[in-house]
Amino acid sequence: MTCLAARSRALIVQTGTILSKIKKLLSKQKPNRTSLKQDEIFHPFIEEKILVGQLFHIQALLMNRYMRNDMDGYPPFFWR
């Protein structure tokens, strides 16, 4: 019984180190999603450079202005 317990402990330790190595490799290869949000683009309607992460917020503000009749039309944003 003790031999079986020692083998299972060794297997658990080996599995743990293998999993930690796999996690480390995957974390290095995972694309950084925040880098896309930090990219700047030019918004043609407001004529300013904005961060991609702010794009949906800006479009929501424009939709809100259109729904309150502050604007004649909603200016959609087309990604190029």
Side-chain angles (χ1 to χ4, degrees):
M1 189 79 160
T2 57
C3 182
L4 182 62
R7 283 186 184 173
S8 65
R9 283 189 200 122
L11 183 63
I12 290 172
V13 169
Q14 288 176 349
T15 306
T17 57
I18 291 171
L19 288 177
S20 65
K21 289 178 182 179
I22 290 173
K23 287 179 184 178
K24 187 181 286 187
L25 284 174
L26 289 177
S27 68
K28 288 180 182 177
Q29 293 179 356
K30 185 177 92 172
N32 191 357
R33 294 183 55 96
T34 58
S35 66
L36 177 65
K37 293 180 182 179
Q38 299 299 325
D39 290 343
E40 282 190 348
I41 57 172
F42 182 76
H43 196 287
F45 185 77
I46 61 173
E47 297 179 351
E48 290 182 15
K49 284 187 176 184
I50 61 169
L51 298 176
V52 173
Q54 295 176 331
L55 180 63
F56 294 107
H57 180 70
I58 299 293
Q59 289 301 118
L61 291 175
L62 293 173
M63 175 69 83
N64 186 20
R65 290 180 185 173
Y66 169 68
M67 293 178 78
R68 290 184 299 165
N69 291 328
D70 292 342
M71 296 171 54
D72 293 332
Y74 171 71
F77 179 80
F78 295 107
W79 194 285
R80 295 182 191 162

